[in-house]
Amino acid sequence: MEKLVSSWGNNVKALPHNYIFPPELRPGNNLKISFTTNIPVIDLSELENHHHRFQTIQKIIKASEEFGFFQVINHGVDINLMKETRKVMKELFEMGDEYKQKLYSEDPLKPCRLYTSRPTYATDDNLHLWRDSFIHPCHPLDQWQHLWPQNPTKYREYVGACSVEVKKLASRMLRLISEGVGLECEYFEKGGLSGSMLVSLNHYPACPEPSLTLGVSKHSDPNLVTILLQDYVSGLQVLHNGQWIAVEPLPDAFLVNVGFQLQVH
């Protein structure tokens, strides 16, 4: 299990050589990061007010076009469910090595697997990201839930319940975006483009030398939308007008990321 950062990362004092990025790719090098600018925050409760509905939808469209990202609050997902889901996801990476070995796989075709990451653009096969990931399908729930981990004992319950609510939220966002650009509200549902959904958990243990490595490489998501539940530590950055913006994690918010498929449509 030495491959999983969560199994050994907290016990090291210096970064292993295969986690040290070339100087030109290290975080902060040749980059300016803004901690004062932030991506838009949209209050979905304003949709209930007939007079504010149009303006709120236009805020979503503008944020999608200008940033490709926005945070939503008052989204309808139970706050306690969000907290318990965060908690049980963290517990998964704190399970013993023997148990995590059963979940570990380097086979990208295995639907439910725990793995450690490397940057897709790396020419050096030994270069790794300071991150472990766990991924599995979650929709339709009854088709996939039995493949999920049985431990932590509440994993299936909370992640299942939360994934159902997030699927509703994603569908709602797609309908609002469709309406905002003049399409039929159920354009994506009728086109069969919004049927699948994955849960992807990223875990970043405390790093002894964070200035030398990365947890996630710069990238764009290929799907329609990503609904991200952040923890309470600022780490995510969004590229806007050539400048990286540090995204402030709002405790009860979801972050919406517009993917390539939605941009194409």
Side-chain angles (χ1 to χ4, degrees):
M1 289 304 297
E2 66 277 358
K3 292 183 178 181
L4 286 174
V5 183
S6 56
S7 295
W8 54 265
N10 293 328
N11 298 320
V12 299
K13 302 296 183 182
L15 207 64
H17 67 88
N18 56 335
Y19 286 84
I20 298 177
F21 273 61
E24 66 274 13
L25 297 178
R26 292 175 189 171
N29 281 19
N30 302 316
L31 295 175
K32 292 184 178 180
I33 302 174
S34 173
F35 291 90
T36 55
T37 305
N38 207 348
I39 64 172
V41 177
I42 297 173
D43 186 346
L44 295 186
S45 68
E46 294 180 354
L47 292 165
E48 299 171 5
N49 187 315
H50 176 73
H51 298 289
H52 294 161
R53 178 179 173 80
F54 176 79
Q55 289 87 343
T56 303
I57 292 176
Q58 290 309 303
K59 288 179 184 178
I60 292 172
I61 299 302
K62 184 177 180 180
S64 299
E65 292 176 342
E66 293 189 3
F67 290 84
F69 286 82
F70 53 91
Q71 295 195 74
V72 292
I73 58 175
N74 294 320
H75 39 66
V77 182
D78 183 75
I79 303 303
N80 186 62
L81 175 60
M82 295 169 66
K83 292 178 180 178
E84 292 298 329
T85 301
R86 281 194 191 96
K87 180 180 177 181
V88 79
M89 287 176 169
K90 181 180 178 182
E91 289 174 358
L92 176 73
F93 291 99
E94 295 172 346
M95 299 294 292
D97 289 350
E98 183 177 352
Y99 181 71
K100 287 190 288 188
Q101 178 67 56
K102 299 176 182 178
L103 303 176
Y104 185 84
S105 175
E106 297 181 2
D107 180 5
L109 298 180
K110 186 176 181 181
C112 182
R113 68 188 184 104
L114 175 65
Y115 63 100
T116 195
S117 305
R118 61 181 302 274
T120 55
Y121 57 75
T123 56
D124 182 358
D125 288 339
N126 292 318
L127 184 61
H128 290 282
L129 296 164
W130 191 261
R131 175 186 73 175
D132 292 334
S133 298
F134 184 61
I135 188 170
H136 60 72
C138 62
H139 180 79
L141 189 62
D142 57 1
Q143 181 178 332
W144 299 108
Q145 195 173 27
H146 68 283
L147 297 176
W148 299 359
Q150 292 182 309
N151 290 301
T153 55
K154 294 288 186 178
Y155 184 90
R156 292 184 180 182
E157 176 185 345
Y158 286 126
V159 176
C162 192
S163 66
V164 168
E165 294 304 311
V166 170
K167 180 66 170 66
K168 294 177 183 177
L169 175 61
S171 297
R172 184 184 185 192
M173 299 313 305
L174 288 174
R175 288 195 297 270
L176 292 169
I177 291 171
S178 296
E179 181 179 342
V181 297
L183 296 172
E184 185 180 0
C185 285
E186 297 182 352
Y187 173 83
F188 292 102
E189 285 89 343
K190 289 184 177 180
L193 296 172
S194 61
S196 63
M197 180 173 163
L198 292 174
V199 170
S200 181
L201 316 182
N202 291 325
H203 176 64
Y204 313 96
C207 182
E209 297 175 286
S211 63
L212 301 180
T213 191
L214 288 170
V216 175
S217 308
K218 59 181 180 180
H219 68 282
S220 298
D221 287 356
N223 49 314
L224 279 173
V225 291
T226 298
I227 308 293
L228 176 63
L229 175 60
Q230 298 188 87
D231 61 12
Y232 306 107
V233 179
S234 178
L236 177 67
Q237 296 169 9
V238 171
L239 186 63
H240 176 61
N241 293 335
Q243 184 178 44
W244 288 98
I245 300 171
V247 178
E248 177 188 0
L250 302 179
D252 301 330
F254 281 101
L255 186 140
V256 180
N257 175 13
V258 174
F260 276 151
Q261 287 187 36
L262 187 55
Q263 292 181 42
V264 169
H265 283 77

